[in-house]
Amino acid sequence: MITCAEFECMIHQSGSLKEKRAVLQRIMTRLKQKYNVSVAEVGHQDAWQRTSLAIVSVASTKAASQKEVDRALAFVDSFPEWERLRTTIESL
């Protein structure tokens, strides 16, 4: 089963695209290392205080893939650098 979460975030302290990329790289690398997920920036690439990311998990059961995505989103929420705004979760 596949579970995908797409969400938008505001990076309040970012003053440039370079600062935004540094925050994104750190968080995305940690997500990939700590959880069984793939993550990519899917929107707002040219905005320096806003981003849209997608997290995808593939597992043998729907419950397992949803649990992994939920754990990854909780990890995302633990970073004080940004605020998660809108989230859409879909299972296939």
Side-chain angles (χ1 to χ4, degrees):
M1 302 306 299
I2 301 169
T3 301
C4 176
E6 187 174 334
F7 58 95
E8 290 184 22
C9 290
M10 287 293 291
I11 306 170
H12 297 290
Q13 301 300 321
S14 177
S16 67
L17 282 175
K18 187 175 182 178
E19 289 176 10
K20 172 190 166 181
R21 300 269 185 257
V23 170
L24 284 177
Q25 277 299 86
R26 190 177 84 245
I27 294 170
M28 290 170 59
T29 300
R30 287 184 178 176
L31 276 170
K32 291 175 189 176
Q33 290 173 346
K34 191 170 177 126
Y35 301 100
N36 186 22
V37 298
S38 293
V39 60
E41 185 177 21
V42 294
H44 306 293
Q45 283 96 347
D46 294 332
W48 48 272
Q49 283 192 318
R50 191 171 178 191
T51 189
S52 184
L53 296 174
I55 295 175
V56 178
S57 175
V58 178
S60 59
T61 66
K62 184 177 178 180
S65 65
Q66 286 178 339
K67 183 177 180 180
E68 196 69 11
V69 167
D70 289 341
R71 290 177 54 218
L73 288 174
F75 183 70
V76 164
D77 290 340
S78 71
F79 288 92
E81 293 95 334
W82 65 11
E83 173 186 4
R84 185 162 51 110
L85 302 175
R86 180 190 60 84
T87 304
T88 304
I89 299 175
E90 184 177 340
S91 293
L92 306 172

